[in-house]
């Protein structure tokens, strides 16, 4: 009836990794400083500062699908050791898809969204919600992100 219980890390012990800076910590003035567990391992942040160590502020957790659909860079898909892996940012961010169909659908949805945004840039008066193609793409993204 005795044993070790896994404890959540203390706020000052929690750290994340960035591509350029290595380990970063959530700044003590951040609203998320006391958060000791995030459902997703990915955070987006607005500001990064270096004092005694590198800190991020104004951060929010982001799930995988919004990261893939709205993040920068190209989406790549490859088969590694029997698993379909979706990667971003030249492979720095990668994760295993539930199935090859899911990987292909997510990649295709990202391509469609990119094209839709290019159309909007070319034609700023275009109403994405009234356009049949735009409303289908946006509706699918909303459904995917909210039911994830």
């Amino acid at each position: 009836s005795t044993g070790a219980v896994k404890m959540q890390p203390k706020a000052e012990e929690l750290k994340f990794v960035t591509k350029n800076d290595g380990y970063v910590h959530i700044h003590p003035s951040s609203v998320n400083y006391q958060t000791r567990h995030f459902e997703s391992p990915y955070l987006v942040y607005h500001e990064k500062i270096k004092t005694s160590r590198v800190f991020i502020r104004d951060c929010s957790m982001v799930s995988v699908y919004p990261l893939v659909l709205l993040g920068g860079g190209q989406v790549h898909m490859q088969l590694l050791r029997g698993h379909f892996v979706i990667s971003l940012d030249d492979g720095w961010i990668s994760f295993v898809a539930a199935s090859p169909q899911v990987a292909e659908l997510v990649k295709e949805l990202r391509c469609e969204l990119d094209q839709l945004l290019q159309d909007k840039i070319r034609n700023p008066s275009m109403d994405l919600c009234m356009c049949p193609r735009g409303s289908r793409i946006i509706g699918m993204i909303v459904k995917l992100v909210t039911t994830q």
Side-chain angles (χ1 to χ4, degrees):
S1 66
T2 62
V5 176
K6 185 175 180 181
M7 306 249 331
Q8 295 292 340
K10 295 177 183 169
E12 62 273 6
E13 297 172 340
L14 193 62
K15 55 189 171 184
F16 295 87
V17 180
T18 65
K19 186 175 183 179
N20 297 326
D21 297 300
Y23 289 111
V24 299
H25 301 266
I26 297 175
H27 195 274
S29 68
S30 175
V31 161
N32 283 326
Y33 180 69
Q34 292 299 327
T35 303
R36 294 167 43 172
H37 174 74
F38 294 93
E39 294 295 320
S40 171
Y42 304 107
L43 296 180
V44 293
Y45 61 89
H46 175 68
E47 184 178 26
K48 181 172 52 175
I49 58 170
K50 184 174 183 178
T51 56
S52 59
R53 51 188 168 172
V54 180
F55 290 99
I56 57 174
R57 285 199 280 216
D58 305 325
C59 60
S60 295
M61 184 198 75
V62 64
S63 301
V64 171
Y65 288 129
L67 184 65
V68 172
L69 294 172
L70 304 169
Q74 295 292 318
V75 175
H76 300 282
M77 185 179 66
Q78 59 186 5
L79 182 62
L80 290 174
R81 293 182 230 122
H83 299 284
F84 282 87
V85 176
I86 298 173
S87 63
L88 300 166
D89 201 14
D90 298 327
W92 195 75
I93 297 173
S94 61
F95 52 92
V96 176
S99 70
Q101 293 84 4
V102 168
E104 191 59 45
L105 288 171
V106 168
K107 184 178 177 186
E108 187 62 33
L109 186 56
R110 168 65 186 264
C111 290
E112 288 292 327
L113 177 61
D114 287 347
Q115 184 58 53
L116 183 65
L117 293 174
Q118 287 296 325
D119 294 346
K120 177 68 174 171
I121 289 168
R122 280 192 291 279
N123 181 7
S125 63
M126 180 175 139
D127 185 344
L128 296 178
C129 294
M130 297 306 287
C131 151
R133 180 172 162 262
S135 65
R136 279 195 312 270
I137 293 168
I138 292 169
M140 183 57 74
I141 290 170
V142 168
K143 185 174 182 178
L144 179 65
V145 169
T146 57
T147 60
Q148 167 179 354

